[in-house]
Amino acid sequence: MTIAPGATGVVPRLQTLTQIPLQQKISLMLMLAVAIALGAGAWMWSNTPDYRVLHANLAEREGGAVIAALQQMNVPYKFIDGTLMVPAAQLHEARMRLASQGLPRAGAAGFELMENQKLGASQFVEQINYQRALEGELARSIQALGGVQSARVHLALSRQSAFLRDQPRTSASVLVNLHPGRSLDAMQVAAIAHLISHSVPGLPAKNVSIVDQTGALLSGDSESNGKRSLDPGQLKFQQEFEQTYLRRIESILAPIVGAGNVRAQVSAEIDFTETEQAEETYKPNQRSDATVRSQQTSESGGTGSAAAGGVPGALSNQAPGPASAPIAVAPGQPGSAVAATAPGGAAAGGRRDSTVNYEVDKSIRHTKQSMGRIKRLSVAVAVNHHTSTDTKGKPVSKPLSEAQIAQLTELVHGAIGFNKERGDQVSVVNSPFKVAEPEIIPETPAWKNPDHIELAKNIGKHLLIAGLALYLLLGILRPAMRTLAQPPVVSLPAGSAELAIEGAPAQLSAAGYDQTLQNAKQIARQDPKIVANVVTQWVNGNE
């Protein structure tokens, strides 16, 4: 095979890595590295979860316990400046599982402070540590209540002194941080106050102030403007009492007027005072059937006239007045004093004295009135108009008659145990009920809907990743593979010597015999006409 002088031949071939120039190798390696880095970054970014705050301001001990629990649960986390964050998809599950393990525990230190007492600590330091430990234990107890997320307790302990007559009273203040959407009722607030009161000696429950995270005072004084208010137990009793009477009224009127056609309210005045009365009564003693307790009688006798006696003077010359006794006794009865009188008005020498003691009637009664007595009931009942259907099938509303209203009033009287003497009031009013129109809630535009926004973000993220992947595949990897697969262009200069497929080694020493043979085979496969022309020249004897 010879190529005429002046002809130029193009020899394509598949390059190997060893045949690629060094500069081209470096460029391809850089493009592949950039493509791999971009792909890995996009994959990591797409798989990176959205982290949310699990707990903030965790102490070192509590943070370590929570992290250990998260590692056991295989939950990824981030801990940045005391804030522990977990993926949003696992946030609620992690909180519930940690709560089941009692984590995180109270941040305040308890009586474990007393375990590490330093030698030589002063009494003041020991007292401060004891107060801190007591405050921490009380805070932990309060946090165990449902609805309380965290709590802080401050105690103002009084110092006992023998030189002070009036000792200062111990007081306490509590700050509770409630869970979102939760609140404490009056009974729970009173329970917290009594819990602290019974844990600290000399601390009455009224000296405990409880405040929530919004600054609202949950505990109030038992007295306001000089009037004693109801405690939580009494208030709850009154509310339950009113609800019981309310259910009675509605249950007896609903079958008559319809379940949704009656509304009632009950206001009860209840006397919570507890009265104890002691009474001691003495009956009159001028009675013929009086009981004799004791009787004493003395008699003396003599003859002749009575000797004159007495105190000299004007008083002894006067006649004695009528005798009086506290108890009237009939003559001849025991206890009567009889003086024998001689003829002529002179007293005989005999004398009889009698003393009788009677039992005195005495009645002692102790009366104790229990608390919770009804002072007065006030009931207001509203009844809807009667609704019927006319001949055309349309609903018609008609008011109740006076007889029907009176009948309903009598039913209410019987349901509540109406007592006119104590001032009970019952008012039954018949009036049409207004049906509230359904509130029209404007539809949220699609571009403002949080669900649609989140969906758009996810779709945009995936589209961005897909576009980046296509760019890496079509813009970087595909051109690089084309560069590797593109054969080099081999040009034979014009005027060169004849090149034969099977020539002398001397003629092929420059390009290499093997390489020339491969080029010839490649030319034969790509352009058989050239090979045919060469063979034709050989047959014709042309060199």
Side-chain angles (χ1 to χ4, degrees):
M1 176 181 178
T2 58
I3 299 177
T8 302
V10 178
V11 184
R13 64 184 177 85
L14 181 63
Q15 301 185 74
T16 61
L17 292 177
T18 58
Q19 297 171 350
I20 299 177
L22 180 60
Q23 185 176 2
Q24 190 176 3
K25 289 182 181 179
I26 295 175
S27 300
L28 289 175
M29 293 176 64
L30 289 177
M31 287 189 295
L32 288 175
V34 171
I36 294 173
L38 292 177
W43 180 81
M44 294 176 62
W45 175 69
S46 62
N47 293 331
T48 301
D50 183 18
Y51 280 84
R52 300 290 179 87
V53 177
L54 178 64
H55 292 291
N57 300 324
L58 284 176
E60 295 181 356
R61 177 179 299 179
E62 296 296 330
V66 173
I67 289 176
L70 292 177
Q71 291 176 350
Q72 292 179 357
M73 294 185 294
N74 295 325
V75 176
Y77 63 90
K78 289 182 180 180
F79 190 77
I80 303 175
D81 297 334
T83 302
L84 188 61
M85 306 175 68
V86 296
Q90 300 177 346
L91 176 64
H92 300 290
E93 180 182 0
R95 283 182 176 175
M96 289 188 292
R97 297 180 65 178
L98 290 175
S100 64
Q101 302 179 17
L103 295 175
R105 300 181 180 89
F111 280 112
E112 61 268 14
L113 285 175
M114 310 302 295
E115 298 176 357
N116 300 321
Q117 290 292 331
K118 297 181 180 179
L119 185 63
S122 62
Q123 185 179 2
F124 176 76
V125 174
E126 292 179 353
Q127 184 66 25
I128 292 298
N129 289 336
Y130 170 75
Q131 182 172 346
R132 289 181 55 197
L134 185 58
E135 292 174 351
E137 293 294 336
L138 291 174
R140 290 178 180 178
S141 301
I142 296 173
Q143 288 176 173
L145 300 177
V148 179
Q149 184 175 7
S150 61
R152 295 194 65 183
V153 179
H154 302 279
L155 298 177
L157 301 178
S158 61
R159 300 293 184 267
Q160 300 296 330
S161 176
F163 301 98
L164 296 178
R165 177 177 300 176
D166 296 331
Q167 297 290 340
R169 302 298 299 270
T170 301
S171 59
S173 59
V174 182
L175 174 63
V176 292
N177 186 13
L178 305 178
H179 289 287
R182 303 293 295 274
S183 61
L184 297 178
D185 55 18
M187 292 295 293
Q188 291 175 319
V189 174
I192 294 176
H194 283 79
L195 173 66
I196 298 178
S197 173
H198 289 76
S199 301
V200 180
L203 176 60
K206 65 180 182 180
N207 288 0
V208 179
S209 299
I210 304 175
V211 184
D212 63 2
Q213 71 272 20
T214 61
L217 180 63
L218 303 181
S219 62
D221 297 334
S222 60
E223 296 184 358
S224 178
N225 297 329
K227 297 182 179 180
R228 184 176 179 84
S229 60
L230 299 180
D231 59 22
Q234 296 173 352
L235 183 61
K236 183 178 180 181
F237 175 82
Q238 181 176 357
Q239 293 175 352
E240 292 179 352
F241 182 85
E242 294 174 352
Q243 291 298 321
T244 301
Y245 277 80
L246 179 61
R247 288 191 295 267
R248 288 183 181 180
I249 297 172
E250 292 182 349
S251 62
I252 197 171
L253 296 184
I256 301 176
V257 299
N261 295 324
V262 59
R263 297 290 187 272
Q265 290 293 332
V266 178
S267 177
E269 294 184 12
I270 302 177
D271 186 10
F272 290 100
T273 59
E274 186 176 2
T275 305
E276 184 175 357
Q277 180 181 2
E279 183 179 0
E280 187 173 354
T281 304
Y282 296 91
K283 295 181 179 180
N285 55 9
Q286 283 80 13
R287 296 173 55 189
S288 60
D289 57 348
T291 304
V292 178
R293 174 189 296 178
S294 61
Q295 180 177 358
Q296 182 180 1
T297 303
S298 62
E299 295 182 359
S300 61
T303 59
S305 59
V311 179
L315 292 178
S316 60
N317 296 329
Q318 295 179 1
S324 62
I327 301 177
V329 181
Q333 295 292 333
S336 59
V338 180
T341 306
R351 180 178 181 85
R352 183 184 182 188
D353 297 329
S354 177
T355 303
V356 181
N357 296 322
Y358 293 90
E359 291 288 350
V360 179
D361 292 338
K362 181 179 181 182
S363 176
I364 300 177
R365 181 176 60 183
H366 293 270
T367 304
K368 185 175 182 181
Q369 297 179 355
S370 60
M371 55 188 299
R373 294 184 300 106
I374 302 175
K375 296 177 62 177
R376 190 177 67 170
L377 287 177
S378 298
V379 180
V381 181
V383 182
N384 192 12
H385 281 182
H386 177 68
T387 303
S388 59
T389 305
D390 58 4
T391 57
K392 297 181 180 180
K394 296 182 179 180
V396 178
S397 179
K398 296 181 180 180
L400 300 180
S401 62
E402 295 293 337
Q404 291 175 331
I405 296 177
Q407 182 182 8
L408 296 179
T409 305
E410 290 297 328
L411 290 176
V412 175
H413 285 177
I416 67 172
F418 181 80
N419 189 351
K420 187 176 181 180
E421 295 180 357
R422 67 185 180 191
D424 293 351
Q425 294 180 356
V426 175
S427 176
V428 179
V429 178
N430 179 228
S431 177
F433 287 0
K434 292 184 178 180
V435 180
E437 297 181 357
E439 183 180 359
I440 301 176
I441 302 176
E443 296 184 359
T444 305
W447 56 276
K448 288 185 178 181
N449 194 331
D451 296 336
H452 294 172
I453 295 175
E454 189 67 22
L455 179 61
K457 288 182 179 180
N458 294 332
I459 293 176
K461 180 188 295 185
H462 289 86
L463 289 178
L464 181 60
I465 295 172
L468 183 59
L470 288 176
Y471 173 75
L472 293 176
L473 180 62
L474 301 179
I476 298 178
L477 295 180
R478 186 176 180 183
M481 297 302 296
R482 285 183 177 179
T483 303
L484 291 175
Q486 183 178 5
V489 179
V490 179
S491 301
L492 296 178
S496 61
E498 295 179 351
L499 181 61
I501 296 178
E502 295 180 0
Q507 296 177 354
L508 301 176
S509 58
Y513 177 77
D514 295 335
Q515 186 66 35
T516 303
L517 181 60
Q518 295 294 333
N519 292 339
K521 291 180 180 180
Q522 182 71 20
I523 292 173
R525 287 193 297 267
Q526 293 182 356
D527 196 355
K529 292 182 180 181
I530 298 177
V531 178
N533 292 333
V534 172
V535 173
T536 301
Q537 291 179 5
W538 285 354
V539 172
N540 294 333
N542 297 330
E543 297 181 358

